[in-house]
Amino acid sequence: MEFSLSPKKQANLSFLRFMSLCTLACALILGMLAPASAQPPRMPPLSIGEGPYLYDTAQAGPIRVDVITNDLSHPWGMAFLPNGDILVTERPGKLRLIRNGELDPQSISGVPDVLIGGIAGESLQEVTLHPDFEENNLIYLTYMKPLEGRDFTPSIVRARLDIDNMALLDVEDIFLAKTIEGGLVAGAPMIFAPDGTIIMGVGNGTETAQDPGIHNGKFIRINDDGSIPSDNPFVNEPGYLPEIYTMGNRNMLGLAVHPETGEIWESENGPQGGDEINILEAGANYGWPLVSFGREYTGPRVSERTYMEGMKGPEVIWIPSIAVSGITFYTGDRFPSWQGNLLAGGLIYGRIPGTGVLDRVAFNQDWDEMLRETMLSELRQRVRNVEQGPDGLIYVLIDEDEGALLRISPAQ
């Protein structure tokens, strides 16, 4: 399973790194020199409001969108407790509780200190319940852990939830990524695989996605206590970090378990164009930045190749990009025509702010894409995450200053 680069490919990768730095420098310079009239356009801002909203859809008829709360600060992840209450993470570092359909004014204490930065992901991100939560009350969070100086690293923390006292107990970091010093990390999605192991993404793989000694641009796989599974694909390979599960990824923001196969599907941001949905396979290489459907932010193609032997291609792509975020498969009975469909959040369409969406992707019996529908564009909000609730309805997080939790139900 070892993937190594020839001297020629190493030279190509070094050139790509150099060009990426040049592109970023040019973009910064042009941005500073450009007059106000030349700044990128955006849609006029629109408040999420109180709702409810009614919209037509292609297959499920009219839908109703209720605003459960609009008092969240840049919500990122959510997890449903056994009683139907919802844990929600806020990017600035708070863990909130939606109790009986209302936001508890008190946040849950015990969350570790979080590096707080911009929209790219320096933040508290994912929240996930242990598969045996009802017995052990364990939850897991991904966050950007501050280190010495201005450095930080994506981390997984495990804690015991004391819901009666609104507190986390026995808080413990079980994984700290080895990343580029001072480097940006856009996403750190996390999910429990059907075998009980944890899959987590470590984003920003532009320079290191093909470097087996750095976690950036990889998915990692660990046990629920942070130990390394003995069957990880590179666990005995010299030069490879043993946690690595896949390589060649860029910025990952969503994970979902396929309802029939148990495969892990992930959403991954390209730059301009080239957003992807991939199926994770142990030891697979997804090609970034050697292959891509995207363009640099200044226009040139990232790579002239969209396929390379030995690299695994995407299942779904977006051109233009939607900054694809959280994903989930719909398996409920409230929207029968959507069963088996993939729901994917989008933060921004075609690089124009104020254009977030919720996309629905339908497949045929062989799981080839057959249909795609865009919803919620009328709200003009950044759709950060989407989950199916235990009631079969669809819950959506809006990542804005006045962030919101929405509930989608059949209008009738």
Side-chain angles (χ1 to χ4, degrees), residues 1-5 9 210 234 240 247 285 290 310-311:
M1 292 182 178
E2 182 177 358
F3 178 85
S4 59
L5 296 177
K9 289 181 179 178
Q210 302 297 333
F234 302 110
Y240 284 75
M247 299 178 61
N285 192 309
L290 304 178
M311 307 291 187

Side-chain angles (χ1 to χ4, degrees), residues 108 136 139 144 187 220 223 258:
I108 296 172
N136 59 28
I139 71 167
M144 299 302 151
I220 64 102
N223 293 316
H258 192 282

Side-chain angles (χ1 to χ4, degrees), residues 23-266:
T23 299
L24 177 60
C26 290
L28 290 172
I29 293 170
L30 290 172
M32 289 186 288
L33 296 178
S37 60
Q39 294 302 308
R42 65 164 294 135
M43 294 293 289
L46 186 66
S47 172
I48 190 65
E50 300 292 334
Y53 305 100
L54 296 179
Y55 300 114
D56 289 324
T57 66
Q59 286 183 292
I63 59 172
R64 173 184 171 121
V65 180
D66 287 288
V67 181
I68 295 177
T69 179
N70 56 9
D71 289 326
L72 295 166
S73 175
H74 294 282
W76 191 293
M78 59 180 150
F80 288 86
L81 295 173
N83 66 353
D85 290 347
I86 311 171
L87 296 173
V88 178
T89 59
E90 291 180 314
R91 199 172 72 205
K94 290 185 178 181
L95 181 61
R96 310 298 300 275
L97 176 67
I98 308 293
R99 191 195 298 268
N100 298 321
E102 296 185 359
L103 178 64
D104 194 310
Q106 178 184 352
S107 59
I108 296 172
S109 65
V111 175
D113 291 337
V114 173
L115 176 74
I116 301 172
I119 63 173
E122 299 92 328
S123 55
L124 178 64
Q125 296 191 13
E126 200 71 74
V127 56
T128 302
L129 306 185
H130 190 282
D132 298 323
F133 173 82
E134 293 189 73
E135 286 74 43
N136 59 28
N137 289 328
L138 290 178
I139 71 167
Y140 295 74
L141 304 167
T142 63
Y143 74 110
M144 299 302 151
K145 182 181 180 67
L147 302 177
E148 260 187 64
R150 299 181 63 185
D151 205 8
F152 64 96
T153 190
S155 304
I156 299 177
V157 67
R158 179 179 66 178
R160 201 172 306 279
L161 178 63
D162 181 354
I163 200 66
D164 293 332
N165 294 302
M166 293 289 284
L168 297 183
L169 308 176
D170 306 323
V171 179
E172 176 188 10
D173 285 310
I174 64 167
F175 173 77
L176 277 70
K178 181 180 179 181
T179 56
I180 310 170
E181 186 174 353
L184 173 73
V185 179
M190 172 182 57
I191 199 169
F192 271 91
D195 64 3
T197 60
I198 295 172
I199 304 293
M200 173 194 175
V202 182
N204 188 31
T206 297
E207 297 183 11
T208 62
Q210 302 297 333
D211 183 346
I214 294 288
H215 284 124
N216 292 102
K218 321 288 192 308
F219 277 94
I220 64 102
R221 178 174 178 255
I222 59 173
N223 293 316
D224 64 355
D225 61 356
S227 61
I228 300 168
S230 60
D231 59 346
N232 268 5
F234 302 110
V235 72
N236 294 315
E237 296 288 343
Y240 284 75
L241 295 174
E243 302 89 355
I244 293 176
Y245 188 65
T246 71
M247 299 178 61
N249 304 100
R250 190 176 182 264
N251 287 334
M252 323 79 149
L253 291 177
L255 287 165
V257 176
H258 192 282
E260 294 183 5
T261 65
E263 297 167 323
I264 306 296
W265 289 43
E266 65 100 4

Side-chain angles (χ1 to χ4, degrees), residues 210-387:
Q210 302 297 333
D211 183 346
I214 294 288
H215 284 124
N216 292 102
K218 321 288 192 308
F219 277 94
I220 64 102
R221 178 174 178 255
I222 59 173
N223 293 316
D224 64 355
D225 61 356
S227 61
I228 300 168
S230 60
D231 59 346
N232 268 5
F234 302 110
V235 72
N236 294 315
E237 296 288 343
Y240 284 75
L241 295 174
E243 302 89 355
I244 293 176
Y245 188 65
T246 71
M247 299 178 61
N249 304 100
R250 190 176 182 264
N251 287 334
M252 323 79 149
L253 291 177
L255 287 165
V257 176
H258 192 282
E260 294 183 5
T261 65
E263 297 167 323
I264 306 296
W265 289 43
E266 65 100 4
S267 63
E268 187 170 318
N269 279 197
Q272 290 199 94
D275 286 5
E276 300 178 354
I277 299 292
N278 292 302
I279 300 176
L280 298 186
E281 293 182 4
N285 192 309
Y286 294 83
W288 179 262
L290 304 178
V291 297
S292 175
F293 287 88
R295 294 179 178 270
E296 301 284 4
Y297 295 118
T298 52
R301 294 184 184 277
V302 171
S303 171
E304 293 301 319
R305 306 190 67 169
T306 57
Y307 169 80
M308 184 182 293
E309 188 174 354
M311 307 291 187
K312 184 171 171 57
E315 301 300 311
V316 178
I317 63 170
W318 278 268
I319 301 176
S321 61
I322 63 168
V324 61
S325 54
I327 59 173
T328 194
F329 285 97
Y330 185 75
T331 60
D333 58 4
R334 300 299 299 275
F335 298 94
S337 61
W338 291 0
Q339 287 182 356
N341 291 186
L342 183 75
L343 299 175
L347 299 164
I348 178 173
Y349 180 85
R351 305 294 301 161
I352 298 178
T355 56
V357 296
L358 178 67
D359 270 9
R360 178 177 67 88
V361 184
F363 305 90
N364 65 14
Q365 60 186 6
D366 297 320
W367 291 97
D368 302 314
E369 180 185 350
M370 294 295 293
L371 178 150
R372 192 180 304 191
E373 180 179 14
T374 294
M375 300 176 287
L376 304 191
S377 59
E378 300 91 341
L379 294 175
R380 283 190 253 156
Q381 307 291 315
R382 288 166 54 85
V383 177
R384 170 61 69 181
N385 216 333
V386 55
E387 293 283 355

